[in-house]
């Protein structure tokens, strides 16, 4: 992973580059083609087993779209939040040809909710994200990780340990120090939920960043 972006109030992204025709052009014709997918009957939903020091539990994920070159895993806030408030991406990502994944972290909403306080540790959550990545077959050729609020902290910690698997990293509404090869997007009318109250600036900037990384312009 060689590049980083920060989107203001705040989205930051760390990215590596890819070449070839832009993903939004290559994927638009096949975006809703789920041929060969093993999640067709569930509408994109997968329950992924997660191994922890307290046993094996399941976390909920849902895929939207199909693009072999751009796959965004969304990390919600909390800990203990849910994927629901991230559904604003439904209004923008499909038109841009971006494949993306909703994901309730362990202890949240559709995922198992074990009564095990020892599991609420950042390193354990990092390993959970890595197990989800492997189960969804995401890799450095297509894997973008977007974390909002607490999810931004988790995304940073994941990148510090597993950056070799990432094509891009987006840190949203969470502080991060300046990084090399980064980009900052300011949402002037945005709050901690800039994806809602400055939505067009947020979404257009995010999508442009993903396109620039995929095309090799960034």
């Amino acid at each position: 992973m060689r590049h980083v972006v920060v989107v203001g109030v705040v989205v930051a992204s760390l990215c590596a580059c890819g070449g070839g025709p832009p993903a939004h052009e290559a994927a638009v014709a096949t975006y809703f083609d789920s041929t060969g997918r093993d999640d067709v009957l569930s509408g994109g939903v997968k329950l992924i087993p997660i191994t922890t020091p307290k046993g094996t539990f399941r976390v909920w994920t849902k895929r939207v779209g199909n693009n072999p070159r751009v796959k965004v895993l969304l990390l919600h806030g909390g800990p203990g939040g849910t994927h629901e408030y991230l559904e604003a991406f439904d209004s923008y990502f499909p038109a841009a040809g971006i494949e993306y994944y909703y994901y309730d972290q362990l202890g949240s909403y559709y995922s198992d909710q074990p009564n095990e306080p020892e599991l609420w540790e950042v390193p354990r959550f990092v390993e959970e994200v890595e197990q989800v990545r492997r189960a969804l077959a995401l890799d450095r050729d297509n894997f973008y990780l977007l974390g909002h609020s607490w999810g931004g902290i988790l995304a940073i910690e994941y990148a510090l340990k597993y950056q070799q698997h990432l094509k891009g990293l987006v840190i949203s509404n969470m502080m991060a120090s300046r990084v090399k090869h980064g980009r900052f997007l300011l949402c002037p009318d945005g709050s901690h939920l800039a994806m809602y109250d400055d939505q067009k600036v947020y979404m257009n900037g995010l999508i442009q960043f993903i396109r620039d990384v995929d095309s090799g312009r960034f």
Side-chain angles (χ1 to χ4, degrees):
M1 188 175 60
R2 299 186 298 275
H3 302 280
V4 183
V5 162
V6 181
V7 180
V9 187
V10 171
V11 177
S13 303
L14 212 67
C15 317
C17 297
H24 63 286
E25 295 178 6
V28 66
T30 58
Y31 186 74
F32 292 109
D33 182 1
S34 294
T35 303
R37 294 277 193 169
D38 60 2
D39 57 8
V40 175
L41 296 181
S42 61
V45 170
K46 277 188 177 182
L47 292 174
I48 296 173
I50 300 296
T51 302
T52 80
K54 295 294 183 177
T56 299
F57 304 97
R58 297 191 304 174
V59 298
W60 177 93
T61 66
K62 180 174 181 177
R63 175 184 60 84
V64 180
N66 175 53
N67 185 335
R69 287 174 47 174
V70 177
K71 302 173 186 289
V72 180
L73 179 64
L74 303 172
L75 301 183
H76 61 69
T82 81
H83 76 279
E84 293 171 290
Y85 74 93
L86 299 175
E87 290 176 355
F89 289 104
D90 288 344
S91 298
Y92 292 86
F93 275 7
I98 296 172
E99 179 178 324
Y100 57 109
Y101 292 81
Y102 294 118
Y103 157 39
D104 284 333
Q105 298 152 29
L106 190 63
S108 301
Y109 202 27
Y110 290 140
S111 295
D112 287 347
Q113 301 180 18
N115 185 20
E116 299 287 354
E118 296 88 346
L119 297 180
W120 291 73
E121 300 286 344
V122 172
R124 207 252 355 126
F125 276 105
V126 168
E127 296 309 313
E128 177 182 318
V129 174
E130 172 59 8
Q131 291 182 62
V132 169
R133 179 198 69 80
R134 293 199 303 265
L136 297 177
L138 311 177
D139 59 43
R140 65 172 295 138
D141 294 326
N142 54 38
F143 178 30
Y144 295 78
L145 185 62
L146 187 155
H148 174 262
S149 191
W150 143 255
I153 297 174
L154 180 55
I156 291 171
E157 293 296 322
Y158 177 87
L160 289 172
K161 184 170 183 180
Y162 290 112
Q163 63 180 282
Q164 70 272 21
H165 300 311
L166 286 167
K167 186 173 185 178
L169 175 66
V170 178
I171 310 301
S172 176
N173 300 91
M174 175 50 59
M175 297 302 296
S177 60
R178 293 179 63 87
V179 292
K180 293 181 179 180
H181 310 298
R183 180 181 296 178
F184 179 82
L185 173 63
L186 176 64
C187 299
D189 296 321
S191 66
H192 193 62
L193 284 173
M195 65 185 68
Y196 282 94
D197 42 29
D198 205 356
Q199 191 171 85
K200 287 188 177 180
V201 171
Y202 182 103
M203 294 295 183
N204 290 341
L206 173 59
I207 289 168
Q208 188 60 55
F209 167 70
I210 292 173
R211 287 177 173 175
D212 287 348
V213 172
D214 181 67
S215 67
R217 292 193 298 267
F218 180 76

